[in-house]
Amino acid sequence: MCELYVKADPILYESRSRSLRIRGVVTTLRLENQFWNILQEIAEVDGMTTNQLITKLYDELMEYRGEVVNFASFLRVSCTRFLTQREARPVPLSVVRSA
């Protein structure tokens, strides 16, 4: 079982920083490449850029909670929730029929 994890491409767990503007302030986020990939996928599904998605998540979190304690951790959890929800979605009948 552990081979599934230990054989992962090291590039996936390398961290990368990105600068973006949130509410007029330039900030830097540092996440592992795997999370940047997932955020990009979420953004594409929603018809946005990754920066637009991150800004929207920040704004909605501020509106809901009133503060952002650890935004990078919030983004990581959001990515895992997205993956969990994606796996839980039923397969469309048209896909099942074509298989």
Side-chain angles (χ1 to χ4, degrees):
M1 175 179 138
C2 291
E3 286 184 25
L4 172 67
Y5 305 109
V6 299
K7 290 184 176 180
D9 185 349
I11 196 77
L12 294 174
Y13 52 86
E14 278 185 13
S15 293
R16 184 177 59 188
S17 295
R18 287 180 65 172
S19 293
L20 61 145
R21 187 176 302 273
I22 298 176
R23 292 189 167 185
V25 177
V26 175
T27 188
T28 301
L29 286 171
R30 186 169 188 82
L31 296 171
E32 293 75 17
N33 287 320
Q34 180 71 45
F35 290 110
W36 286 119
N37 294 343
I38 297 167
L39 287 170
Q40 180 179 352
E41 181 180 346
I42 296 168
E44 288 172 358
V45 166
D46 291 342
M48 297 184 232
T49 67
T50 304
N51 286 0
Q52 288 171 330
L53 172 70
I54 291 170
T55 299
K56 181 175 176 133
L57 288 170
Y58 182 90
D59 288 343
E60 289 182 4
L61 185 60
M62 281 295 291
E63 183 178 322
Y64 186 73
R65 298 258 180 226
E67 66 178 338
V68 176
V69 177
N70 189 335
F71 192 52
S73 290
F74 168 80
L75 291 173
R76 287 184 188 94
V77 170
S78 297
C79 288
T80 60
R81 290 181 59 133
F82 169 77
L83 294 176
T84 300
Q85 290 174 353
R86 182 179 67 184
E87 294 302 316
R89 285 188 205 123
V91 177
L93 193 53
S94 60
V95 173
V96 173
R97 286 184 181 155
S98 67

